Amino acid sequence: MPNEMPLRKIIHVDMDAFYASVEELDNPDLKGKPLAVGGSEKRGVVSAANYEARKFGVRSAMSGFQAKKNCPHLTFVKPRFERYKEISKHIRAIFFEYTDLVEPLSLDEAYLDVTVNKKGNPSATMLATEIRQRILEKTGLNASAGISINKFIAKVASDINKPNGQKTVNPEEVIPFLENLDIRKFYGVGKVTAEKMYKLGIFTGKDLKEKSIEFLADNFGKSGPYYYHVVRGIHNSEVKPHRIPKSVGAERTFNENLSSEVFMLERLEHIAQELERRLTKSKVAGKTITLKIKYSDFTLNTRSKTMPYFIADKDLILETAKDLLYQEELQNSVRLLGISLSNLNTEDKKAKKTDDKSILVQLKFDF
Ligand SMILES: [Mg+2]
């Protein structure tokens, strides 16, 4: 077992194809057919796809147009964020029956630190099975889980036996597990980074481990030391109960200041597109849209509008941002435009307090 590592038991719970599964649950006619939640054929992006659709290469963050091309008989449904949020609340309530150390990553994903837990059960594996069973009973939906000594490995592990499965990486299995892991499976390694790693001869955790921390820092900047440590089973990031961001935004600073509204609208469209991509990636929606304008003299103006429902759709965001732009008397040429969305559907207004009862006990490290 790697040293320099506090002994912890972390579960990463991840709902299977969450939005799509909720739609199937509420409309059984959709079951067994390829289904995409989000953008239609003409515009927008796919927020989620069920497993049937994934067989045809439909993926989240893909344009609706591309999705329909990959799978001509694909059904599109509009996202219903209020409904997802409602179910997410039930799921979170279950998590809190086990521990107060719950860190939601999105509506359908969370880390749980069960090192000390409310059930007094030393086996994180058994707890994960129980939690998934409770979620199924309460919501009718399947979840998968990864169980290990830190967040990084738990997150990677939850994908391995998906859907409706779980995977435990015991302390003594950590090193071989990471060494054999395909580099694309490392959390934090996207497509671009994977390509770069291939060029450097890094295909598995074992290859990664052979590189020095200096080499990795030279090639991957700040992420270099992160890769260096996680592949050694070192990831000390704690499960933080309040990690959910308050807003998601995108902005652009222009090479040349803009004075024509036509150009501004064009830029706004790109910004809205980027914002939609980020919202899809983090699986959130929000009610309040804020337009940020920075003038060439560096004065800053913001304007907001709050919608009666959650949105995450580029077109709606853009429409609103345009309205906000028209309301603004432009005082000068513009050097930066930004749009952000707050009042997110991931926010929980009640602050959850960390359980102080965690008595120092000699932990038996059963997984
Ligand atoms: Mg999920």
Side-chain angles (χ1 to χ4, degrees), residues 254 256-271 325 337:
F254 311 118
E256 274 174 56
N257 298 331
L258 305 179
S259 41
S260 151
E261 275 187 0
V262 178
F263 287 133
M264 287 180 216
L265 293 176
E266 195 185 297
R267 303 306 159 93
L268 270 187
E269 174 148 18
H270 289 135
I271 296 166
L325 182 66
L337 284 174

Side-chain angles (χ1 to χ4, degrees), residues 13-18 51 54 106 108-109 162 283:
V13 180
D14 187 12
M15 301 301 294
D16 300 331
F18 183 54
Y51 289 95
R54 289 183 199 185
S106 63
D108 78 316
E109 245 182 275
K162 215 171 196 0
K283 288 181 263 182

Side-chain angles (χ1 to χ4, degrees), residues 196 211-228:
K196 199 168 169 189
K211 306 294 180 194
S212 71
I213 194 165
E214 293 80 14
F215 176 88
L216 292 173
D218 283 349
N219 284 283
F220 302 101
K222 266 190 256 165
S223 303
Y226 164 79
Y227 299 139
Y228 180 87

Side-chain angles (χ1 to χ4, degrees), residues 59-70:
R59 299 276 178 272
S60 57
M62 177 180 272
S63 74
F65 178 79
Q66 183 64 45
K68 189 80 180 175
K69 213 171 143 190
N70 291 2

